[in-house]
């Protein structure tokens, strides 16, 4: 951290289902002089938040509009179907899209899965949010397909979920405005990528430490060792002896 970074703040946006706690904890240990503020935003709004400068970096769900953004894909989530506990899927360990062909499937406006063809039958309404869709599933009006982290986030005792083995998956990525790649952003990228605290993040260190072998090679010879190490001079190379 440079002197200019002291007292600054790092703002990190994240979408529902992403849990940034482990990275935030590492940041607090390594960057005690720079508070990190979490900004919770809907999945559809994270790009706008970054472009407006309301956050320095953010965790988003791909795909996003990458114009002017740098993106580092991180991990892919299992896709699951949420249904009432008395639904037929409760008897299976996992299901396929074909198993859901007769079910009404809610498609919330904040859906984070990219579908070529949506499974099942269209539900009677498109809920505004995933949370609203979960409430409707609890009434028995239909089912919902979401990334695993969202099923856990909206868990209810009267609902269950199962993996959908052939459904598209949601990928989480770290993203930030390319033109605003500050040292603090680089620091956070290093944390997410698992770099050590001593990593230079690709910068050229001001005074790189030498290895012990290098230091030893630089030490001057002592106690006449230089004379002993010098190769002997043959008589043919010497001038004529004075008489």
């Amino acid at each position: 951290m440079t002197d200019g970074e002291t007292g600054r703040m790092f703002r990190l946006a994240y979408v529902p289902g992403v849990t940034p706690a482990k990275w935030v904890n590492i940041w607090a240990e390594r960057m005690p002089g720079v508070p990190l503020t979490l900004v919770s935003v809907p999945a559809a709004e994270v790009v706008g938040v970054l472009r407006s400068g309301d956050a320095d970096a953010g965790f988003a769900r791909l795909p996003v509009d990458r114009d002017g953004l740098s993106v580092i894909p991180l991990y892919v989530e299992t896709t699951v179907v949420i249904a009432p506990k008395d639904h037929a899927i409760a008897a299976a360990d996992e299901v396929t899209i074909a198993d859901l062909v007769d079910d009404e499937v809610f498609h919330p406006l904040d859906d984070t899965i990219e579908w070529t063809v949506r499974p099942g039958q269209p539900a009677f309404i498109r809920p505004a949010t995933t949370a609203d869709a979960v409430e409707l599933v609890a009434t028995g009006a239909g089912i919902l397909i979401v990334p695993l982290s969202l099923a856990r986030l909206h868990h209810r005792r009267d609902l269950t979920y199962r993996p959908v083995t052939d459904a598209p998956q949601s990928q989480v990525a770290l993203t930030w405005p390319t033109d605003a790649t500050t040292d603090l952003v680089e620091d956070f990228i290093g944390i997410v990528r698992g770099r050590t605290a001593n990593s230079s993040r690709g910068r050229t260190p001001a005074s790189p430490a030498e290895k012990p072998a290098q230091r030893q090679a630089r030490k001057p010879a002592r106690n006449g060792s230089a004379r002993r190490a010098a190769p002997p001079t043959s008589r043919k190379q010497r001038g004529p002896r004075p008489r």
Side-chain angles (χ1 to χ4, degrees):
M1 181 175 64
T2 65
D3 292 340
E5 291 169 356
T6 304
R8 287 188 56 193
M9 178 182 294
F10 186 72
R11 298 159 302 170
L12 178 66
Y14 69 103
V15 298
V18 175
T19 307
K22 64 178 180 180
W23 298 301
V24 172
N25 291 338
I26 296 173
W27 178 276
E29 293 173 1
R30 295 187 187 178
M31 312 286 288
V34 183
L36 188 152
T37 299
L38 290 172
V39 182
S40 177
V41 296
E45 298 178 16
V46 64
V47 169
V49 167
L50 293 171
R51 288 181 175 152
S52 67
D54 291 329
D56 300 294
F59 290 110
R61 291 187 183 276
L62 299 180
V64 296
D65 180 0
R66 299 194 180 200
D67 185 28
L69 297 180
S70 295
V71 176
I72 300 177
L74 298 177
Y75 59 90
V76 176
E77 287 196 64
T78 298
T79 300
V80 302
V81 54
I82 303 176
K85 279 194 170 181
D86 58 357
H87 192 279
I89 72 161
D93 293 329
E94 55 188 29
V95 299
T96 66
I97 290 176
D99 296 326
L100 309 176
V101 66
D102 295 326
D103 286 282
E104 291 189 12
V105 181
F106 289 108
H107 182 199
L109 296 177
D110 65 352
D111 188 11
T112 58
I113 297 176
E114 242 193 352
W115 295 97
T116 303
V117 178
R118 289 200 57 80
Q121 305 298 317
F124 68 97
I125 190 175
R126 285 199 68 183
T129 67
T130 297
D132 292 337
V134 170
E135 293 294 328
L136 290 170
V137 171
T139 68
I143 60 176
L144 176 65
I145 300 176
V146 295
L148 176 59
S149 64
L150 289 180
R152 290 172 172 167
L153 177 66
H154 299 291
H155 175 69
R156 294 173 49 125
R157 292 184 178 180
D158 53 348
L159 300 179
T160 189
Y161 57 83
R162 294 292 185 271
V164 184
T165 58
D166 55 350
Q169 294 177 310
S170 174
Q171 186 168 27
V172 173
L174 176 66
T175 182
W176 68 95
T178 303
D179 291 340
T181 308
T182 63
D183 283 353
L184 292 180
V185 171
E186 290 280 8
D187 282 319
F188 192 75
I189 292 170
I191 289 172
V192 171
R193 284 184 160 171
R195 295 176 187 155
T196 63
N198 295 327
S199 171
S200 66
R201 298 165 296 163
R203 303 176 191 172
T204 303
S207 54
E210 292 180 324
K211 295 180 180 179
Q214 292 174 322
R215 292 197 297 270
Q216 185 66 29
R218 287 177 178 268
K219 287 184 179 179
R222 294 179 295 179
N223 300 329
S225 59
R227 290 194 298 271
R228 290 195 299 270
T233 305
S234 66
R235 289 187 177 182
K236 290 182 181 181
Q237 293 173 327
R238 295 176 184 174
R241 287 186 176 182
R243 295 182 180 178

